[in-house]
Amino acid sequence: MQIASSPVYLDTSGLAKLYVSEPDSPTLEAALLGRRDLIVSDLAVTELTSTLARRKREGDLSAAHAQRVYLRILRDCETGAFRHAELTTSVHRDAEHLMLGLGRNVPLRAADALHLALARAYNAHVLITFDRRMRAAAEVLGTFELPG
C-alpha cells in the first residue's frame, strides 16, 4: 500500500489496524510509518474503545490488554502522533448534508458521515477506511484517495 498524498485521515477501522492485530495491519503500519500528517478524531478513539470493550466481553482480548491498548491510543493522541480533528457544529452540518444528499444507493450511518465530514473539514487528501459503506460513500464523493 502506497500513500503519497497528505494529509491522511484515519477512520475507526483504519485506526484499529494500528492498535489491534488484524488483517492488513502490518501493511498499513508500514505505509504510515514516520508520517506526521495523520488526522484522527475523538470519534474514532471512542468508537475504537467500544470495539475494545466488545472484544473484551467476547473474550478476544483480556481486560489488561484492552486497557493497555486504550492507554496507548490516548498517549499517542496526547503526544502528537496524530493531528486532532475536532467535531464542530459545521462538521455536524456537513455530515447531515452528506446523509441527505448521497441518495438511496449510499446509505450512511451518522458516525460514517461524521468521519467523512471531518476528513473534508481538515482537508485530508487520503482517507484510510476498511469499512465498505464508508468507502462506497467516499468513492461517490470523489474527494479522497482511497488506498487499499
Side-chain angles (χ1 to χ4, degrees):
M1 172 185 299
Q2 280 223 304
I3 304 169
S5 297
S6 68
V8 177
Y9 183 87
L10 288 105
D11 80 340
T12 307
S13 66
L15 187 63
K17 291 191 181 313
L18 298 179
Y19 290 94
V20 180
S21 183
E22 295 182 347
D24 297 319
S25 286
T27 304
L28 181 62
E29 288 173 16
L32 299 179
L33 188 65
R35 292 191 76 123
R36 288 291 185 226
D37 60 350
L38 304 177
I39 304 167
V40 171
S41 68
D42 286 330
L43 173 61
V45 173
T46 301
E47 286 185 316
L48 183 50
T49 303
S50 175
T51 299
L52 293 172
R54 178 185 50 80
R55 291 185 68 177
K56 182 179 82 165
R57 283 191 309 275
E58 294 171 352
D60 294 336
L61 289 176
S62 70
H65 185 81
Q67 185 68 20
R68 278 192 307 275
V69 171
Y70 174 68
L71 292 174
R72 193 170 128 224
I73 293 164
L74 292 181
R75 183 186 67 238
D76 288 349
C77 289
E78 290 169 3
T79 60
F82 305 110
R83 287 178 45 205
H84 180 254
E86 186 140 350
L87 281 168
T88 63
T89 300
S90 63
V91 168
H92 280 277
R93 296 301 84 82
D94 188 34
E96 293 154 8
H97 288 287
L98 288 171
M99 287 185 286
L100 290 171
L102 286 178
R104 276 188 293 181
N105 295 335
V106 187
L108 268 180
R109 295 172 291 204
D112 292 343
L114 285 167
H115 282 297
L116 288 169
L118 281 160
R120 287 166 35 136
Y122 286 84
N123 299 311
H125 294 248
V126 177
L127 174 66
I128 303 292
T129 184
F130 293 87
D131 180 278
R132 284 182 300 110
R133 275 190 247 175
M134 179 117 102
R135 188 174 190 87
E139 286 172 349
V140 167
L141 288 173
T143 311
F144 309 105
E145 291 177 38
L146 297 160

